[in-house]
Amino acid sequence: DAIMYNIQLSNSSSFSNNLLDINKPGLIYIYKGDINWSDTYYWRVRPLYSGDNEDYIYGDWIDSNTFSITNRITGASGTSVDIINDDLYNEGLTIMGDLSEDNRSFVFDKNGKEIWNDRYLNLITNHVNKYGQIFGCSFSNFPDNTGSLINYNNQYLWQGPSDIYVDVHEVKSIPTGNYMGFTWEFEEGPIPEGDWTGLFRALGYEADGETIEFPWFGQAIVEWDENRNEIWRWSPFDHFSMDDYDVYGGTWWNAYFDGQYDWMHSNAFHFDAEESVIYVSHRHLSRVSKIAYPSGEVLWNIGLPSEYNTGSNNICTDLRFTWQHNAQLLDNGNILLFDNGNLSGLFGNSETTRVLEFEVIDNSYCEMVWEYALPNYLHGPWMGSAQLLQNGNYLINTVGSGGHAIEVTPDQQIIWDADYNITAFNDPAGNYRSYRIPSI
């Protein structure tokens, strides 16, 4: 018989200092006042009944409840935001997955206020789909949590096989209801001749470009069902030639110290159910491939001209992106990617990081739709992401200058700049990907 309810919220168990004391009809009330990190709060509710002379009669308190807020994850410096043009901002929140601070993910509003974090799951968000589901990788209890889906209650909803490392770069659900990600595969191969040859020969290798003697690894694309059973696999060793490899980016120098060659460094894929194909990005080959599913046939490779040794039949060689990240197919059929530009100096340019949106026409050539060169101070030699927003702007995540996420208009105006203030790596930072989401 209650006609409304009295709700109280306090940071004192005695309710001597109330943040809220309000009468409301109905059974739901959402408090949007200040709730602080690292604090404990108390709340209680009691019914109000109709009394004489339009007065209310207060009933008994219906118990007393408490909740606490964990620690803020971004530390004292937090995220500093510069709003250049509030009218052009694409409303919503931003979630960032970070490798530089013990691995973490957090959500903040347009003013930089942190409102959610992964609460010590140490999860690096690497994908957020259109339903707001969070996919990522955690190295805690390795490799159990390396390919995971979580919710905003920090609960695991799906995980890859417990005995397999699911590569940190990307894992996601696909329209069939299954899940897809990268795993590592190894195969013996030659050590090509180059400036590094003497180092390998000093270790006892032939290093003649022919002798099969050194472990190469690449990322396979693997599909799992809800129960973690593998149901499909695509291996680069079955479809690519070891004649194509990085010459200019230092990967063979790294192989000398690592004892294995990071051939592909695949870092992004997009499953297109409409055409039944997969688009996949191979960073160390500066290559984006279109693969038929389920046959695995390579339909085309976009990459550098043949003189750079990463493929003789590449299409769209005029794009000249190098060591890219976050390649994806947009709803309009265009491809969007973050061009790190590590090897842009090969073309007579200074190292430049770009975001490219382009259309592939007749599987043979490309037309640029939108190109944005980041300012020099935001140059991102590793990691990075780009997202086309609903209002036509682009959210760009780069590791330059301590890590930034910027919102850029189609006419290339920066209208919002979030400085992550990441000090562990500083420059470049470790912010892997950022996504604009409508809510949590």
Side-chain angles (χ1 to χ4, degrees), residues 264-281:
M264 309 299 299
H265 206 95
S266 305
N267 57 22
F269 67 89
H270 183 103
F271 184 96
D272 178 29
E274 183 174 341
E275 196 177 353
S276 194
V277 295
I278 301 170
Y279 296 84
V280 58
S281 165

Side-chain angles (χ1 to χ4, degrees), residues 11-157:
N11 51 23
S12 166
S13 59
S14 63
F15 293 88
S16 58
N17 182 24
N18 289 338
L19 303 173
L20 174 72
D21 190 342
I22 193 171
N23 297 333
K24 284 288 181 180
L27 300 179
I28 294 175
Y29 176 73
I30 299 177
Y31 178 68
K32 294 189 176 181
D34 287 334
I35 296 291
N36 298 316
W37 294 100
S38 308
D39 276 352
T40 298
Y41 296 87
Y42 303 86
W43 63 279
R44 59 186 181 179
V45 178
R46 58 182 171 176
L48 275 67
Y49 304 105
S50 180
D52 297 333
N53 301 321
E54 298 184 355
D55 290 334
Y56 299 125
I57 298 173
Y58 287 85
D60 295 333
W61 291 110
I62 306 172
D63 208 349
S64 178
N65 300 277
T66 184
F67 63 89
S68 59
I69 306 298
T70 187
N71 296 326
R72 190 173 73 168
I73 210 168
T74 51
S77 58
T79 301
S80 305
V81 168
D82 182 13
I83 302 176
I84 296 98
N85 190 329
D86 198 6
D87 293 336
L88 298 180
Y89 176 82
N90 190 104
E91 291 300 327
L93 309 171
T94 303
I95 181 171
M96 191 271 272
D98 183 26
L99 289 87
S100 63
E101 298 274 358
D102 295 325
N103 305 329
R104 58 182 181 162
S105 294
F106 62 92
V107 174
F108 60 98
D109 65 17
K110 72 176 180 181
N111 298 306
K113 180 181 178 181
E114 181 183 335
I115 63 170
W116 176 89
N117 63 55
D118 68 337
R119 201 169 59 200
Y120 312 117
L121 291 182
N122 300 120
L123 184 98
I124 306 154
T125 296
N126 57 35
H127 181 68
V128 177
N129 67 13
K130 64 181 181 180
Y131 306 110
Q133 294 179 305
I134 306 169
F135 296 85
C137 174
S138 173
F139 293 108
S140 62
N141 199 26
F142 184 88
D144 286 2
N145 304 318
T146 52
S148 299
L149 164 64
I150 69 166
N151 62 19
Y152 287 103
N153 293 322
N154 298 287
Q155 299 166 320
Y156 286 103
L157 302 182

Side-chain angles (χ1 to χ4, degrees), residues 316-440:
C316 306
T317 56
D318 56 316
L319 295 177
R320 298 194 174 190
F321 55 77
T322 61
W323 286 41
Q324 72 288 339
H325 274 86
N326 199 207
Q328 60 201 270
L329 184 72
L330 301 177
D331 290 340
N332 60 16
N334 296 339
I335 293 176
L336 179 70
L337 60 79
F338 184 90
D339 171 21
N340 295 81
N342 291 54
L343 306 182
S344 52
L346 294 176
F347 318 123
N349 306 319
S350 59
E351 286 192 340
T352 302
T353 297
R354 301 178 296 164
V355 172
L356 307 180
E357 180 183 344
F358 56 89
E359 179 184 7
V360 182
I361 300 172
D362 296 331
N363 287 332
S364 59
Y365 67 98
C366 294
E367 286 188 359
M368 189 75 74
V369 175
W370 190 77
E371 177 182 4
Y372 176 71
L374 275 67
N376 290 338
Y377 73 96
L378 293 180
H379 170 59
W382 62 63
M383 298 183 286
S385 63
Q387 178 188 9
L388 178 60
L389 303 175
Q390 288 188 343
N391 68 354
N393 292 347
Y394 297 81
L395 180 71
I396 301 171
N397 173 82
T398 178
V399 298
S401 295
H404 284 250
I406 59 175
E407 185 173 338
V408 179
T409 64
D411 59 1
Q412 308 201 355
Q413 299 178 54
I414 298 177
I415 58 97
W416 179 85
D417 182 357
D419 183 350
Y420 288 125
N421 295 305
I422 298 172
T423 57
F425 285 15
N426 192 23
D427 189 17
N431 44 303
Y432 181 58
R433 287 183 183 170
S434 298
Y435 290 89
R436 182 67 48 80
I437 57 175
S439 72
I440 57 170

